Amino acid sequence: MLRRRSQTSVDDTPVPADDPKPQGKGRPTPKRRDAEGKRRQLVSAPKDRKEAYRQTRAKQASDRDRARRGMLAGDERYFPARDKGPARKFARDWVDSRRLPSQYFLPFSLLILLATWVPWPVEIRTQVLNVVITVGWPIMMIGVLFTSVYVAWKVKKQVAEKLPNESVRGVGFYAAMRALQIRRLRFPPPQVLPGGKPVPAKK
């Protein structure tokens, strides 16, 4: 008669995912999803409404900070819809690579305003107001109007030539409005210097 083989009992005790010992015969290998699940840190649910509100505020602040850093770095994924697209980028680079008279509109306006606030003597104050009203403001407004019309026309024309598949709708107005802003206050930040060279990366 054939001798019956003795059956070896199998240890069904589950093995931890971080067990340093190699898996031997007779011990089941843990499934990947079980091992990964044990490595993950459990996220505790908010205890009350105040805690949930605090977590929401923290997440929103983190998202805003990430978006702000992305926009400052020139990452178009974080730009508003009005700033996205090759046509808008071309318009920004075209304006930022030039020194245009319209970009001095706000500083010049502030200078004129301060000049009218200075407590000049009556005779000098009258002369200052006459110069501002009859010379300063007309020259400034003509310069801004001429520059805005030229920038809008030029950018729209070049976008149509260099990016024929892109829509030119609104791109001229977009460029003209950017040209009115002080360079340091433009947003998204300029990616090129006056003259066309790229802005050096910040260390």
Side-chain angles (χ1 to χ4, degrees), residues 97-117:
S97 64
R98 292 164 173 78
R99 298 186 186 276
L100 301 166
S102 58
Q103 74 185 70
Y104 302 105
F105 168 71
L106 292 178
F108 188 64
S109 300
L110 181 60
L111 182 62
I112 290 178
L113 187 60
L114 292 176
T116 60
W117 284 356

Side-chain angles (χ1 to χ4, degrees), residues 53-67:
Y53 179 73
R54 187 189 65 79
Q55 292 183 4
T56 301
R57 289 290 300 272
K59 184 178 183 303
Q60 291 175 347
S62 176
D63 292 342
R64 286 195 299 267
D65 182 67
R66 183 170 61 253

Side-chain angles (χ1 to χ4, degrees), residues 75-89:
D75 191 340
E76 193 167 321
R77 293 177 300 172
Y78 298 100
F79 286 177
R82 66 181 179 84
D83 296 315
K84 291 183 178 181
R88 301 303 172 99
K89 184 180 187 307

Side-chain angles (χ1 to χ4, degrees), residues 101-102 105 108 133-150 180:
S102 58
F105 168 71
F108 188 64
I133 295 174
T134 60
V135 180
W137 279 107
I139 291 178
M140 182 182 66
M141 297 307 297
I142 291 174
V144 168
L145 179 62
F146 175 79
T147 303
S148 299
V149 172
Y150 171 77
L180 284 172

Side-chain angles (χ1 to χ4, degrees), residues 17 31-41:
K31 295 182 179 179
R32 177 178 296 181
R33 63 182 181 183
D34 295 335
E36 292 178 351
K38 292 180 180 180
R39 296 192 192 104
R40 295 174 182 170
Q41 182 179 3

